[in-house]
Amino acid sequence: AVCSTGGFVLNKILKALGVKEIVALNEEPTGVFPHNPEPLPENITQICSEVVEKKCDVGFIVDPDVDRLAIVSENGQPFVEEYSLVSIADYVLKHTPGATVSNMSSTRALRDVTEAKNQQYFASAVGEVNVVEMMKKHNAVIGGEGNGGIIYPAIHYGRDALVGIALFLTLLAKSKMTCSQLRSTYPNYEISKNKMELTKDMNVDSILEQMAEKYKDYEVSTIDGVKINIEKEWVHLRKSNTEPIIRVYSESKDLDSANKLAQKIINEIKEMNISNNETIIKKEKSMKKILALALTLVFGLNVFAQTPSVTTTIDNLTPTTITASFDMDENCTKYHILADVVGGMDQWVQMFGTPLRDLVISWSIGVESDTTYTWSDMTPNTDYIVYVVAVNATDTSDVLMTTCTTPQAG
């Protein structure tokens, strides 16, 4: 119980379930953990030894808030956290047919067990709240996460190790098998957990999009990163919100195969060499197309006729002045080029309240290639937008507009 809240209840529930002999470890709830409380194999060596030495039938490990359950078999071997849910779901499904749910980074074994009983399995995004949401959506009878989090809606929609202990002990008693024998009845998979460091110029979203496209002929899910199911293997790619990494989780029949699958995917990503700069260019082009379409639909302007290019450069900023220069390509020769500034996004939005043709007529600043213009009497500490409009000399419905945002002047 890692000297936490589990110390208050584990003995009580085990006795209530009819367990005659209990060997308690770290049950005094002092709040001082005797070891890393994460119930991983490297942190549970003490109970693994005690189970064998005291000839126990089973060992239970809970985390500090008692919402995750890990199990140790009678031979001192970890049952493996992923299989806490798998075994308990197996028992529940035998008595209550229905759907099951786990997150996308959990073992495929739950899917196998569920489909073997002709029921439906669903994978949610990672996170307890996402699992619960999908369980409610599909009226699942059991669900949880591969970290030992058991969610049994007949009791409540939340991870609960105590509920898991009760269900597992019932399964073990009725099976007439030892823990290790019970474990051997389930499909065996192993998960490899890796991460790929990202360089500053790599764009995660583009990487995930291209991987989904590359493996589109397989079963692919994009509800949480990209998960690719390849026969009895899978790989799950997720970007981190806190680190410049991609998490690469994979599962296969053994750890070596899972590691090889993860490395194969990592190598493919490295070969893509997708940069943020390339992605920004693509997004800018997309935004221009969207703006052009919007102007056409809303204002009746034909912005697709030609594509004159005007590059605006902010040459100098003071608290009260903005100096900009303009460079135009050869396509601008048939256009009148007009420019002005607007202070802040509020004024920019207000400007669009006026039909664009009327605004064009009101602009008085004409600019030519390589010319420089200075606006004065600016308000200090204000972000300004320099906008440039190219109007076809013979067709005023042919309009191109670009903008250039200045940093705060002063």
Side-chain angles (χ1 to χ4, degrees), residues 235-253:
V235 62
H236 188 194
L237 308 174
R238 297 178 68 232
K239 64 179 179 181
S240 170
N241 293 324
T242 58
E243 302 175 81
I245 62 171
I246 295 178
R247 301 192 188 282
V248 183
Y249 289 8
S250 58
E251 184 179 60
S252 190
K253 60 183 180 180

Side-chain angles (χ1 to χ4, degrees), residues 252-268:
S252 190
K253 60 183 180 180
D254 54 53
L255 189 57
D256 183 57
S257 298
N259 286 334
K260 288 180 179 178
L261 175 59
Q263 193 56 54
K264 173 178 179 290
I265 296 297
I266 290 172
N267 290 339
E268 289 177 356

Side-chain angles (χ1 to χ4, degrees), residues 163-174:
V163 170
I165 289 172
L167 291 170
F168 185 85
L169 279 177
T170 306
L171 166 64
L172 191 62
K174 290 189 174 184

Side-chain angles (χ1 to χ4, degrees), residues 135-211:
M135 288 179 69
K136 291 179 177 179
K137 178 181 179 180
H138 297 288
N139 197 28
V141 296
I142 187 72
E145 298 184 284
N147 61 6
I150 311 299
I151 303 173
Y152 185 48
I155 302 297
H156 67 95
Y157 277 106
R159 300 189 309 190
D160 193 326
L162 301 180
V163 170
I165 289 172
L167 291 170
F168 185 85
L169 279 177
T170 306
L171 166 64
L172 191 62
K174 290 189 174 184
S175 71
K176 307 295 183 183
M177 290 187 283
T178 64
C179 262
S180 58
Q181 289 172 337
L182 177 64
R183 173 66 178 81
S184 68
T185 65
Y186 300 118
N188 191 66
Y189 297 104
E190 294 203 46
I191 294 178
S192 173
K193 297 183 178 182
N194 306 272
K195 60 183 179 181
M196 178 181 175
E197 301 286 342
L198 299 175
T199 59
K200 291 182 179 180
D201 64 338
M202 294 179 73
N203 184 276
V204 182
D205 293 330
S206 291
I207 290 171
L208 297 180
E209 288 174 7
Q210 291 208 26
M211 290 305 294

Side-chain angles (χ1 to χ4, degrees), residues 41-262:
E42 59 266 28
N43 300 328
I44 60 174
T45 55
Q46 180 188 16
I47 189 172
C48 289
S49 298
E50 289 286 331
V51 164
V52 175
E53 184 178 333
K54 300 294 172 54
K55 298 182 179 180
C56 299
D57 296 300
V58 62
F60 292 119
I61 306 107
V62 297
D63 64 339
D65 57 353
V66 202
D67 69 345
R68 292 170 57 186
L69 173 64
I71 302 168
V72 177
S73 295
E74 83 291 343
N75 59 7
Q77 294 298 310
F79 200 80
V80 182
E81 270 187 305
E82 293 280 345
Y83 285 82
S84 297
L85 175 59
V86 173
S87 57
I88 292 167
D90 179 41
Y91 173 73
V92 170
L93 289 172
K94 287 177 181 176
H95 299 86
T96 314
T100 66
V101 175
S102 65
N103 71 46
M104 299 182 72
S105 285
S106 298
T107 180
R108 182 193 166 88
L110 178 62
R111 175 176 178 171
D112 290 352
V113 166
T114 303
E115 293 179 347
K117 292 179 170 54
N118 297 314
Q119 303 301 314
Q120 284 188 292
Y121 164 79
F122 298 93
S124 77
V126 173
E128 180 180 4
V129 65
N130 298 314
V131 175
V132 169
E133 183 180 338
M134 187 159 287
M135 288 179 69
K136 291 179 177 179
K137 178 181 179 180
H138 297 288
N139 197 28
V141 296
I142 187 72
E145 298 184 284
N147 61 6
I150 311 299
I151 303 173
Y152 185 48
I155 302 297
H156 67 95
Y157 277 106
R159 300 189 309 190
D160 193 326
L162 301 180
V163 170
I165 289 172
L167 291 170
F168 185 85
L169 279 177
T170 306
L171 166 64
L172 191 62
K174 290 189 174 184
S175 71
K176 307 295 183 183
M177 290 187 283
T178 64
C179 262
S180 58
Q181 289 172 337
L182 177 64
R183 173 66 178 81
S184 68
T185 65
Y186 300 118
N188 191 66
Y189 297 104
E190 294 203 46
I191 294 178
S192 173
K193 297 183 178 182
N194 306 272
K195 60 183 179 181
M196 178 181 175
E197 301 286 342
L198 299 175
T199 59
K200 291 182 179 180
D201 64 338
M202 294 179 73
N203 184 276
V204 182
D205 293 330
S206 291
I207 290 171
L208 297 180
E209 288 174 7
Q210 291 208 26
M211 290 305 294
E213 175 64 22
K214 180 180 178 68
Y215 286 91
K216 63 183 180 180
D217 293 335
Y218 293 90
E219 181 184 339
V220 175
S221 173
T222 57
I223 65 172
D224 184 9
V226 175
K227 183 173 182 179
I228 307 163
N229 291 282
I230 307 172
E231 298 179 353
K232 290 289 186 176
E233 299 180 315
W234 58 257
V235 62
H236 188 194
L237 308 174
R238 297 178 68 232
K239 64 179 179 181
S240 170
N241 293 324
T242 58
E243 302 175 81
I245 62 171
I246 295 178
R247 301 192 188 282
V248 183
Y249 289 8
S250 58
E251 184 179 60
S252 190
K253 60 183 180 180
D254 54 53
L255 189 57
D256 183 57
S257 298
N259 286 334
K260 288 180 179 178
L261 175 59

